[in-house]
Structures are given as C-alpha cells and as structure tokens.
Amino acid sequence: MVPEFIVEGFIRAIKELGVEEFVNKLRFEQPRNEQFGDFATSIALILAKELKRNPRDIAQSIVDHLSFDKRLVEKLSIDGPGFINVKLSTAFFANELERIFQCGEDYGKSKKGYGQKVNVEYVSANPTGLLHLGHGRNACIGDCIANLYEWIGYDVTREYYFNNAGRQMQNLARSIFARYRQLLGEVDFPFPEDGYHGEYIFEIANEILNNFGSKYAEETDENLEFFKKYGENWCFQKIRSTLEMLKIHHNVFYNEDSLYKEGKVEEVIRLLREKGLVYEKDGALWLALTKIGLNEDRVIVKSTGEPTYRLPDIAYHREKFLRGYDLIIDILGSDHIATVPDVLAGLKALGFDTSKVKVVFHQFVTLMENGLVVKMSKRSGRSYTLDELISEVGADVVRFFFIMRNVSSHLEFDLNLAREQSEKNPVFYLQYAYARIASIFDTAKERGIEFNFETSTECLHLPQEINLIKLQTRFPEVIEVAAEKFEPQILADYLYDLATAFHTFYHDCRIIGSNEPILSARFKLAKVTQTILRNGLTILGVSAPERM
RNA sequence: GCGCCACUAGCUCAGUUGGAUAGAGCAUCAGCCUUCUAAGCUGAGGGUCACAGGUUCGAGUCCUGUGUGGCGCGCCA
C-alpha cells in the first residue's frame, strides 16, 4: 500500500504543474527490481502522451515540485524512459512496523464492509451421496471467501442449499431399496435404471438390514418413504462429518422444498406472468428469455408439472434478495456455467439488481499420482471421495491445495506432493515458519532473555529486515484484493512470500544473541510476522502449529 | 456449430486495472548445520509467454483471427 503522504505529495505536484485533470491517472506500483526503490509511478509517461512533451522532462518537473519529509524519503530518482522512483528510509519502515504492531492480533481486519450483509453459498450438494473432490474444492474456496469477507468487516452468512425432495431422492430411496432386497437374498432384484451405483448404497442397505431385518421388505409407499428418510439422514450425516473434518460450518441450511411449501415458487410464476414473460407451449410452461435479451426461451415447468431447476433457483435467489443481502456470492463448479444467465435474467426481470450477485465458477480437480491421472482410490477401489482424501493427506493439506491455484484454472492435485511431509510441501513450509517463530519465543522464555517492545526499531536496516516489513505492510491490502477478486490464492501466494522472507531473515539474522536495540527490534519483527501468518492461515482454514 | 475457461521453464503454476532485465516451487547440479527447529538458506543452468496480425513511447497483459485442451449448450441439476 502506497503511503498517503507520497500520494498526496504527487497530487500536489501535479496540480502545481497545472494539469490536475490527470490526477486520476496517478498509479503506483512496487518495482520488480529492488534497485528502483520501493514505489514507482509512470505518471510522467502517461502525461507525456497527453501533453506531447518529453517524459523525462515532465518527470523532472514533477520531482522539482515534490517536497517530502527528508526523514521518511531517502531518495527520489528518474530512471529509464521517465519512471519516478521513490525509496523510503529506515525511519519510515520503523514507523510502519510500529503501526502494525499497535494493531495487535487483529492486524489485517478492516471495516470496509461495515454494515453490509453478504451471503456466501457453497457446497450445496444434495443428500444423495458422498462429497467428492469437486465438492471439496467448492467447499474450501467458499469457506475462504466467507472468511475473507468477514475480515473486511462484512456480516457474513454461510449458506448451504439442498433439495431433499423430488425425483433424485426417490431415486435414492429406490436404489437403497433394491440393494436391500438383494441383500435379503433376491440377487436378481432389479436395480433402478438411473439409480445410484455407489458402494455407499450397499452400506446404507446393510445398515438397515442389520437394524431392522426384513421389516421393510415390502415395496410400499410408506416403506420407500422410510428408505428415503434413512438415506437422506445417512448422507447428510456423512456430508456434515466430512465438512467438520475441514472445519467448515454453515449458518443456514436452506431447503429447496420450503420454497414450494411456502408458495414462493408459485409467487415467482405469478410475478413473471404479470410481466408477460411466461407462456404455455407443448403442455409446458416457458420463460420468454428472448424478450429479455437471451437467445432461447426455456422451460420452467415441465409438461409433467414438475419445475425445472430454473424456477426454484430464481425463487431461491429472490429469497436471498428479500432477506436483504448487499452481496450474494454463489460458488459453483464450471459445469453450471450455462445455468446462471437464465436465472440472473429472471431475477433482473423481477426488478432485482443482479450486479449484487457474484457467481464464482471453479474449474475441475484432477487427482494425479506418479504423473498419472488417478480415477480410483487404491484402498477402496472406487472413485476417490473427499473423506478418503482428507484421511489420507490431512485436512490442512487438502484445504491449502484446493485454494493454491487460481479458481478459474484446472487444479491438479498431486497426491505424491500432498503426502510429502517435507519442505517440498508448501503447506509445511508456511507452518514451519510459524512454528519457528513460536520456538524463538519459547527459547527466549526458557533462557530468561528479556526484550522490550517499547524499544525503537529504527536500527533495522538490513535488506532481509526491510523486505520483511515491506511484506508485512501489504497484508490488509492483500486480504481486500483477494476478497474483491474472490481469489483465495492471492492470499496463499502472499503468505508463501512472507514465509520465504521470514526464513531468509531467520537464516541470516539471529535474534537471540543480538545486542539491544537489535534484539528487541527483531523480536518485534518476529512477533508481527507470527500474527500475520496465524491470521492468514486462519483465513485459509489451515492450522498454525506451535511446534513441528 | 455456439458459449465459457485455459495455453508462460522439463513438470505444476504466479505475473499487482499496459511498464523497466518475464518470476516461484518441484526436478537437475553446486554449496551452507558447534550458535533461536536444515520441514531451512544461498547459488547455477533452464523461456519463440501456443501461433499470426493489430493498437502505442511501451504488450505475457488490450483487440482480431487461428490452433490445442477442458467444461457446457435438455421438458437433468
């Protein structure tokens, strides 16, 4: 984050040059190359184009009009085609470190979203089976995004939308029932055409057999209802325990069925009809999407009387709007991309501001082992469930791996790397940095080494130290950007850089054994790093161990 | 055929609303433990940023086209 006084200084200089209409073009960046200082701006190059003057001359004029506190700015220079580079002083960084230290344990939090409500919907798997790897990525991304918004001050609702009614659940009931009858000895009992073939159906059937014997063998509506309920509870309990392993908790479980029971779906049809956007054709009810800018009309109620997903989805999102959210975030797999425009168009037609809805699409997960795609789990011989993956490599690794790539990129989950309990594994690299810091404080305590956080840190001047402070100042900004872009990976990358900077510092600069004031200053540096690592890891849902 | 996403080092990926000499991890090679945890640090090699045009002082980044891969395109969700 560029210090205020630098920005203000440049704005003043630009105004004094009489070109204040270009003030909004002022941007700063952190140069890749250290030699160019801490912050750079290409404003002179931009002005050169507008004013048709030599960029270096303009840069010189700007610099001539700049007046900074000499204590804070070490050097101003004009380099290359006309970049203005600013190098800050050790006094400046000492001030920054002190400022961060004063923020305490909450460093990184902001009030940016104060008073605003956000709803993050993620996982949302129906209770018809176990969570698989795609759900895992969805869950981790959603939970991180929810955490990020909490950190920037939003009032966050974590929501899970599910459907325990309708055809899919009937299908589940019939699948379990078929397996149950097969287990009872009717080996040829027909399995439903599009039934759930997973191994877990046998497990459920077997459980029912063990608990109730042949009590439910008769194929009646009542009994099928029992199988449905039993299957639903079984699946939901599994899903919840899997999420629990990842420390993921939702505040609201929203049942699609309630939209029907409370007449919300009917209401949406009525409202759309009032707008003249609904018509009947071939015995079905259609939504006239072509009237609101889309390419094709779509069915919302099938000729069988059942609605398609679009209708309850519109009703559901309408409910979210009516509950007063300022921001509605949906986390969806890329296989849902095509469904969203219809739903948004419907909502827009109903008069809602759909710019408040942000849909985050994540690409798929491919499990790799020894350079090959893994389709099946070795232990169970079935496709990998999220459960199995977690018990194999641990929750921390799963959570980190699922967010360490760009949300919109395919994620290659390398089992070999994930199993690796060593420096190769980036999760341990971060945790190790944290544990090392904890260890320094432990050692200091054991040896009775005293330090004082009141001591000035202006003595810190080595590149390893300054680099660490620079990274520390960026933390709040990183959280904001990661939240706004719905991209937890930005935070993961940042933490990795911070850990690297700390490991380098740790290696080159001893803390215990230094003399005052270096001793206290470095302890403060370590303390702040520790806070940031802990906060960052917490947002990612990864534990911060005191010892490794 | 249409839509969305991707294409950057041998592999997996970053690249800050167009900036300076394109970065990191893994893998390979060479160093560093008597001192706070070596799950660490330092260095070396490794690039036609898929391809071709365009926009401009400047393009991995923006525009157009082509190719390759993934996901969609239903009265499934």
Side-chain angles (χ1 to χ4, degrees):
Chain A
M1 196 80 87
V2 195
E4 277 295 303
F5 78 94
I6 299 278
V7 180
E8 281 163 13
F10 273 86
I11 290 175
R12 241 183 351 258
I14 292 168
K15 283 183 179 170
E16 280 170 28
L17 283 175
V19 287
E20 66 177 283
E21 64 268 33
F22 299 117
V23 158
N24 60 346
K25 305 247 182 198
L26 184 65
R27 294 283 184 283
F28 290 88
E29 61 182 286
Q30 298 191 22
R32 274 195 281 262
N33 194 329
E34 293 276 319
Q35 78 183 65
F36 294 127
D38 302 307
F39 292 102
T41 178
S42 59
I43 186 67
L45 294 166
I46 292 164
L47 288 177
K49 191 192 286 186
E50 303 283 353
L51 306 177
K52 305 211 185 314
R53 278 177 54 197
N54 182 314
R56 284 194 68 109
D57 289 349
I58 294 174
Q60 190 58 54
S61 315
I62 293 172
V63 170
D64 290 343
H65 282 83
L66 288 171
S67 55
F68 291 126
D69 185 341
K70 289 276 182 300
R71 236 175 55 82
L72 301 178
V73 175
E74 189 177 304
K75 193 178 132 197
L76 278 171
S77 60
I78 299 166
D79 299 291
F83 291 97
I84 303 172
N85 294 314
V86 183
K87 187 168 170 51
L88 298 158
S89 69
T90 54
F92 170 81
F93 288 112
N95 286 352
E96 287 294 283
L97 179 57
E98 181 58 27
R99 184 178 59 77
I100 298 170
F101 180 76
Q102 290 304 330
C103 294
E105 299 295 305
D106 280 345
Y107 179 56
K109 283 191 180 163
S110 78
K111 295 203 162 43
K112 197 177 159 66
Y114 183 76
Q116 301 221 68
K117 288 171 67 180
V118 58
N119 181 294
V120 188
E121 184 211 323
Y122 54 110
V123 188
S124 294
N126 286 340
T128 56
L130 305 171
L131 297 182
H132 58 248
L133 303 191
H135 291 127
R137 192 176 188 194
N138 185 300
C140 295
I141 290 170
D143 203 52
C144 286
I145 289 175
N147 289 342
L148 284 164
Y149 275 86
E150 221 157 62
W151 274 71
I152 60 172
Y154 278 81
D155 176 4
V156 180
T157 302
R158 296 151 194 263
E159 190 147 325
Y160 187 123
Y161 176 65
F162 70 100
N163 184 6
N164 61 349
R167 224 189 61 203
Q168 287 186 69
M169 294 305 292
Q170 297 302 333
N171 197 1
L172 176 71
R174 293 195 165 276
S175 302
I176 301 169
F177 181 74
R179 295 305 188 205
Y180 176 67
R181 289 283 285 262
Q182 289 170 359
L183 288 171
L184 277 168
E186 287 174 74
V187 186
D188 294 330
F189 191 89
F191 193 73
E193 184 97 0
D194 50 353
Y196 292 97
H197 287 272
E199 199 77 13
Y200 66 98
I201 299 293
F202 278 108
E203 283 181 48
I204 301 171
N206 206 32
E207 224 178 271
I208 295 172
L209 183 66
N210 289 338
N211 290 337
F212 303 100
S214 60
K215 187 179 169 191
Y216 294 99
E218 209 179 325
E219 191 169 346
T220 62
D221 286 352
E222 265 176 30
N223 284 354
L224 279 172
E225 183 61 23
F226 167 80
F227 281 91
K228 191 178 100 177
K229 268 287 152 218
Y230 199 98
E232 178 191 337
N233 289 336
W234 193 94
C235 291
F236 241 133
Q237 191 253 321
K238 283 278 181 190
I239 289 171
R240 285 194 190 229
S241 86
T242 305
L243 292 175
E244 178 65 35
M245 285 195 260
L246 294 172
K247 290 175 286 182
I248 290 175
H249 305 103
H250 291 84
N251 314 115
V252 177
F253 283 81
Y254 199 100
N255 187 345
E256 179 180 330
D257 207 32
S258 65
L259 293 168
Y260 297 96
K261 291 192 173 136
E262 292 165 22
K264 304 276 169 62
V265 172
E266 280 301 318
E267 201 174 346
V268 166
I269 295 178
R270 186 175 59 74
L271 291 169
L272 288 170
R273 206 188 286 276
E274 277 173 16
K275 307 256 178 202
L277 292 171
V278 171
Y279 63 91
E280 279 186 47
K281 193 180 92 181
D282 306 332
L285 205 59
W286 293 68
L287 182 57
L289 291 166
T290 46
K291 285 191 184 171
I292 44 180
L294 272 68
N295 289 330
E296 275 179 286
D297 291 350
R298 299 285 183 187
V299 170
I300 50 172
V301 181
K302 298 184 245 178
S303 52
T304 59
E306 288 173 292
T308 64
Y309 71 87
R310 290 179 193 90
L311 187 52
D313 263 18
I314 293 171
Y316 174 47
H317 279 84
R318 176 169 173 267
E319 279 309 295
K320 287 191 195 173
F321 272 109
L322 295 179
R323 278 191 269 155
Y325 291 108
D326 300 288
L327 183 60
I328 295 167
I329 303 174
D330 293 350
I331 315 293
L332 292 174
S334 60
D335 51 339
H336 286 75
I337 286 177
T339 70
V340 170
D342 300 354
V343 175
L344 288 182
L347 286 163
K348 200 171 174 187
L350 292 177
F352 294 106
D353 176 7
T354 49
S355 69
K356 287 182 178 176
V357 180
K358 302 289 179 192
V359 184
V360 178
F361 291 108
H362 61 88
Q363 294 289 325
F364 285 7
V365 177
T366 311
L367 203 57
M368 300 290 286
E369 188 175 25
N370 304 321
L372 298 171
V373 177
V374 182
K375 294 251 166 65
M376 298 287 168
S377 151
K378 269 185 197 155
R379 282 185 310 176
S380 62
R382 300 174 251 136
S383 64
Y384 254 95
T385 62
L386 184 54
D387 251 4
E388 286 178 302
L389 188 68
I390 299 168
S391 49
E392 184 158 350
V393 303
D396 284 340
V397 171
V398 168
R399 287 211 57 153
F400 190 85
F401 273 49
F402 275 151
I403 56 88
M404 75 177 177
R405 300 291 177 238
N406 211 305
V407 165
S408 62
S409 297
H410 283 257
L411 183 127
E412 203 160 296
F413 195 109
D414 184 341
L415 266 177
N416 302 90
L417 182 61
R419 289 195 193 106
E420 191 88 43
Q421 304 267 318
S422 76
E423 79 282 0
K424 292 171 193 166
N425 192 326
V427 183
F428 296 109
Y429 185 84
L430 292 184
Q431 294 182 321
Y432 186 51
Y434 183 81
R436 270 183 150 179
I437 297 171
S439 163
I440 298 166
F441 284 99
D442 284 351
T443 306
K445 202 172 180 185
E446 274 167 32
R447 299 187 192 169
I449 294 163
E450 289 184 9
F451 50 88
N452 184 356
F453 283 146
E454 304 290 312
T455 310
S456 162
T457 58
E458 269 195 61
C459 55
L460 299 177
H461 67 280
L462 295 173
Q464 293 91 329
E465 297 163 335
I466 298 299
N467 188 34
L468 200 44
I469 299 175
K470 267 197 222 174
L471 278 167
Q472 290 170 345
T473 62
R474 285 189 46 211
F475 185 52
E477 180 194 358
V478 166
I479 290 179
E480 275 184 27
V481 172
E484 277 162 15
K485 292 191 170 180
F486 311 103
E487 190 52 271
Q489 188 226 28
I490 292 173
L491 176 58
D493 277 4
Y494 164 80
L495 291 177
Y496 196 91
D497 287 346
L498 182 71
T500 301
F502 180 78
H503 284 310
T504 302
F505 161 76
Y506 179 91
H507 183 267
D508 296 343
C509 313
R510 292 197 60 80
I511 298 178
I512 293 170
S514 300
N515 297 319
E516 288 289 15
I518 300 264
L519 178 78
S520 288
R522 286 185 178 167
F523 264 115
K524 190 182 265 182
L525 201 50
K527 176 76 185 163
V528 167
T529 307
Q530 185 181 38
T531 301
I532 298 174
L533 282 172
R534 183 173 49 239
N535 291 351
L537 287 170
T538 301
I539 293 170
L540 297 183
V542 176
S543 67
E546 301 292 316
R547 249 173 261 284
M548 284 177 76

